[in-house]
Amino acid sequence: MLKKIPKILSPDLVHALMKMGHGDEIVLADANFPGHSLHSNVIRCDGIGIPPLLDAILELLPLDPYAEHQAALMSVVPGDPVVPTVWDTYRGIVASHDASATLAFEERFAFYGRAKSAYAVVMTGEEALYGNIILKKGVV
Amino acid sequence: MLKKIPKILSPDLVHALMKMGHGDEIVLADANFPGHSLHSNVIRCDGIGIPPLLDAILELLPLDPYAEHQAALMSVVPGDPVVPTVWDTYRGIVASHDASATLAFEERFAFYGRAKSAYAVVMTGEEALYGNIILKKGVV
Amino acid sequence: MLKKIPKILSPDLVHALMKMGHGDEIVLADANFPGHSLHSNVIRCDGIGIPPLLDAILELLPLDPYAEHQAALMSVVPGDPVVPTVWDTYRGIVASHDASATLAFEERFAFYGRAKSAYAVVMTGEEALYGNIILKKGVV
Amino acid sequence: MLKKIPKILSPDLVHALMKMGHGDEIVLADANFPGHSLHSNVIRCDGIGIPPLLDAILELLPLDPYAEHQAALMSVVPGDPVVPTVWDTYRGIVASHDASATLAFEERFAFYGRAKSAYAVVMTGEEALYGNIILKKGVV
Amino acid sequence: MLKKIPKILSPDLVHALMKMGHGDEIVLADANFPGHSLHSNVIRCDGIGIPPLLDAILELLPLDPYAEHQAALMSVVPGDPVVPTVWDTYRGIVASHDASATLAFEERFAFYGRAKSAYAVVMTGEEALYGNIILKKGVV
Amino acid sequence: MLKKIPKILSPDLVHALMKMGHGDEIVLADANFPGHSLHSNVIRCDGIGIPPLLDAILELLPLDPYAEHQAALMSVVPGDPVVPTVWDTYRGIVASHDASATLAFEERFAFYGRAKSAYAVVMTGEEALYGNIILKKGVV
Amino acid sequence: MLKKIPKILSPDLVHALMKMGHGDEIVLADANFPGHSLHSNVIRCDGIGIPPLLDAILELLPLDPYAEHQAALMSVVPGDPVVPTVWDTYRGIVASHDASATLAFEERFAFYGRAKSAYAVVMTGEEALYGNIILKKGVV
Amino acid sequence: MLKKIPKILSPDLVHALMKMGHGDEIVLADANFPGHSLHSNVIRCDGIGIPPLLDAILELLPLDPYAEHQAALMSVVPGDPVVPTVWDTYRGIVASHDASATLAFEERFAFYGRAKSAYAVVMTGEEALYGNIILKKGVV
Amino acid sequence: MLKKIPKILSPDLVHALMKMGHGDEIVLADANFPGHSLHSNVIRCDGIGIPPLLDAILELLPLDPYAEHQAALMSVVPGDPVVPTVWDTYRGIVASHDASATLAFEERFAFYGRAKSAYAVVMTGEEALYGNIILKKGVV
Amino acid sequence: MLKKIPKILSPDLVHALMKMGHGDEIVLADANFPGHSLHSNVIRCDGIGIPPLLDAILELLPLDPYAEHQAALMSVVPGDPVVPTVWDTYRGIVASHDASATLAFEERFAFYGRAKSAYAVVMTGEEALYGNIILKKGVV
């Protein structure tokens, strides 16, 4: 633990966030996400929900103002009646760090494709449905 | 995540618990413990307090009935007025899994020495003072 | 060995099952399966038949209710008079853990192709003909 | 699997048996043995009892006729009322392969010391008390 | 060295033979074969001719009865007057282990292609021209 | 680069600072220090003087209030007329982050010994004589 | 540090410059460049601006007189009003080492493509916009 | 150093020459050749010219009598007035070991392509222009 | 294979012989020698007797004229009636390469100790009793 | 190759020289020196004599003015009539770079001991008797 760095963030996660550059993306994945089969650079955060992790990451990570959207969610599969309430929580946290940030939606398999080319995947303990979120790093 | 295995436990932590044998010890270390300089086999659980972790581990890990004590705490340094309240929490959790288990006390440097020869050290987010605990594995 | 985890499962196998996510597949392969040439992530369970292993795995592993079929067998090669009786055993074990699960059939080379993209291959001591089975992980 | 080699033996176990030389020892350890903390070269045989494994190994492994004893058991701790019946099974299996072989007894910690300097430790699924056995390789 | 396993076989070679499955192939290559540039899994048997090695391998390795041919030789390049007499030796050894086995012929570059997708290449000390042979593993 | 983390700090340096625990030490070494022969965990910061690095590190790193001294300098070798002016700079920087911190002095070879058991050595571009400094981590 | 070699250059950077051959390129990247996602061979020079690094590198590195241009900058994205003043600094430094050298301009994604096939990427602390520069090695 | 093996040859170079088979090629590259960006298997012979190295290698390495040409040079780029005199030296050395050997010429980029698929690249200290040479191994 | 280098020697064995210096020793061990438990640098020559290997090695390896003895055998254990006839073969081979060389005798455990500090151990297929021999390298 | 760095020096050798600090030593060893058995960090310079290498190294490496002697030779073994003439060459080269440098003499086994604790050993092609030399790095 260090001063100024949220205690919830592991050394490996901060290390990855620091090595990312402008335009690189990181996936905060829910507990059922197939992260290890999609990516070789996986950081485990078992037992921790995405809201506190997202909040802690955004204390350090600037979002990309040059991109059309600064983050992305997985859109609900057509026909699925689920209404993900966690999105509002995510939107509130993102807005509290970057008021102008907007979130894109990616269809399930497009989301997987983007996860494959991300810089890293963070496996969390988040259990909310459609709870994955991709963040795009900006400049400092 | 799997059925029957507490969700808070990471794959690496369960892997270590399974490879431990009778008499092997594991250290649940507080967030300021110098785990990486004492041991080469460190499992990170940043952001998670020891109580829920201890409870989840003891759902799986049997304690050693052949040992005099099944767990160990770091005793308060002479002169230090701190009265660690977290110990009662630990005692309650341990008792709920193994009613006959007792806890030993180790002086600070003896505790470090025991940590060095443990099977692994788990770095948690626990912030309570004197919050470290060593568990000794029994038989199944 | 740990409480609640079937003793037949090795630490490496539980580790793999835990790291798998929704939709990932694992192959339980018979003793003659060319697992090492098809996959780089092979877990050896020499000397153990698939029925007890399948039963133990399904105590922990949820099957995927969103998929059309939760498991897959290799269909008998046209012209081959073999009638695999082990399938009934498999069906019984699967049903005892997940009553609504159904099994698909894959032609031999399609089965190999699916094995290549699985998360891992488990080499067992199963000697029954057409004894391989693929399991698709669900959510917890 | 190959002809002449018992199917229960894994490739890694046969590999180790072949690399051992005259006088080298291998430990067949019960399921609670702390193999990973005693040794860096551990071969897992979860789910398999020692009797069939011992029988299969002795089909390949010659015992050392130059040593006073060809194998060693862990002696019962003084005061422990246990009478290990598995020893008779072991004696029968050893005798069926090498009629002149005799078994030594090692006190618990002497046994651990010998395990540390063995060539390898095989972690089995054997659950019998005092079920560990050390084998000393002879010449071919 | 172990009982039942031909002494000429190295631990690494037996290890590879054991890990091969039904349909996997292994190349016994003559001393001038470019094994290291064709394959990353090369087992050296310098100084040993193929006949004794082939004989020893076939004591353990079953050939594939389901394939059209159980082994393959490199056919003589058109125009080359060489008449490889070693082939008769190979045929005799193969027949002594598997009377129904037949040998295919592969044109030089087709042979190289098959070597690339084999499970392993064994570099021998064989000096006979056109002395390479591919073996296809069967079931036990 | 991230918000809140001084830009001069590399990902590897922050990673090391985060993994250090209470009582662990880190050496900021001048450009001529034999860091690679004293330690296996060396972080290079070529071209950067210690003052800005010290200031940046202390923005994140808490010093140990339980130790007698929070930092240590290498004392001037007896007979050497050098009067290290850089020490005043160091004292000022340390004081600006932790007003109660004091600096110990270690004789040259005692300093080397302490460097050997530190968590890591940072090789800087500092060219001032007697410019090395050891920092002892506190708690957050 | 050694005589004749600028002190700002790390051992790893000099090592890379020495291993480069005629026509190989190296990227000096600004602090926000996504170097780690574009390249596996990244050398960190956190906290150091490109001008002193460029000057130090060109003391050792000859530029390629056979190429049309000896270096390349990333051209301003159409519509972006930025006028990178750091380019004049770069031009002056390059000219002071190689009077006949000229700089090409690459569109942003063409620049990324060239970075991917470069010999290495140097992550610097340069904060100027459009501050990346590629150098092409000549002959000695 | 060993008897019969020219002293100028390093252990790694002899090791590579021994592992090469019939038809494999090795590149002796001049001091400016981009060997490390073309190939992952590079053997350094800094400070040594190609003539003595070529002579030493040909004491051990047989050239391929079945190929149309046994070696290859990089042809002069059209328009370049250079007349490489080192070629006569090379021809003389090759002829002294294999009177019937002939040298092919490859256009610059065809030469690079062949270097990429060679078994290894030897980086020498040769400074002559157009001084690279490829050798094709024969049989012993 | 290369010209001048005996075909029986593997690339790894020649590599080791070349890296040895004045006074370094190599053990040619019989097929039952516990080479892997005594040494981490083991070169396998399964299936090959020591006489042809010794002869081939001495074509390349100079023996140490400065040592009292150039080679060493393991002396017969007191009471053992064996009269190792292979020693005469060894003496003849050694004498054919170095007429003035003499052989020392080491008691069994002293021989093991010397093997531990040798440069490498060569595991051969030699089956003669007391067939091990240590060679001490001289200068070229 | 780079400007200012002598062409005879390999990238690995310059890398090692740069990582050495004040007081670290490097051994330039003759061609028969047992470098690989004394040290794990060996840099090969086969085929190159020590004089040109020493001269090139001293263009970059400052010697230690604080030490009693800046370099060390291996003294002639008592009784050996050899008079190493290469020492005069070494003295001349050292003096041309550092007029005040002096050379110590170490008895053979003391020299070996010092080599073991050096930063690296450079294996050269030097064939002169008593041709080894140790250099102690100073400050820049």
Side-chain angles (χ1 to χ4, degrees), chain B:
Chain B
M1 296 196 299
L2 294 173
K3 293 185 288 184
K4 293 191 175 177
I5 298 183
K7 295 177 180 178
I8 205 175
L9 302 177
S10 71
D12 285 354
L13 180 46
V14 173
H15 195 240
L17 294 172
M18 289 186 77
K19 291 172 76 177
M20 288 169 64
H22 183 192
D24 282 334
E25 300 187 329
I26 191 165
V27 183
L28 304 192
D30 66 39
N32 288 304
F33 195 76
H36 292 280
S37 57
L38 285 172
H39 214 285
S40 62
N41 187 181
V42 175
I43 299 163
R44 305 281 321 183
C45 292
D46 299 82
I48 299 185
I50 287 184
L53 208 51
L54 177 61
D55 190 44
I57 287 173
L58 291 178
E59 276 195 51
L60 300 181
L61 188 82
L63 293 175
D64 186 3
Y66 299 97
E68 190 178 349
H69 300 289
Q70 287 65 47
L73 301 168
M74 186 191 284
S75 53
V76 176
V77 174
D80 189 337
V82 170
V83 181
T85 57
V86 76
W87 291 353
D88 288 337
T89 308
Y90 291 2
R91 279 199 191 89
I93 294 169
V94 170
S96 72
H97 292 278
D98 185 339
S100 63
T102 59
L103 285 75
F105 282 91
E106 296 280 3
E107 174 275 338
R108 183 178 173 201
F109 291 103
F111 192 96
Y112 282 2
R114 228 168 127 172
K116 277 186 187 174
S117 58
Y119 183 74
V121 172
V122 183
M123 290 301 301
T124 74
E126 181 59 49
E127 299 191 48
L129 291 173
Y130 294 98
N132 306 297
I133 182 168
I134 291 174
L135 302 175
K136 194 179 199 72
K137 187 175 180 178
V139 299
V140 179

Side-chain angles (χ1 to χ4, degrees), chain F residues 1 7-11 31-32 44 46-48 127, chain G residues 1 7-11 31-32 44 46-48 127:
Chain F
M1 297 195 301
K7 296 178 179 178
I8 205 174
L9 302 177
S10 72
N32 288 303
R44 304 280 322 182
D46 299 82
I48 299 184
E127 298 190 48
Chain G
M1 296 195 300
K7 296 177 178 177
I8 205 175
L9 302 177
S10 72
N32 288 303
R44 304 280 324 182
D46 299 82
I48 299 185
E127 299 191 48

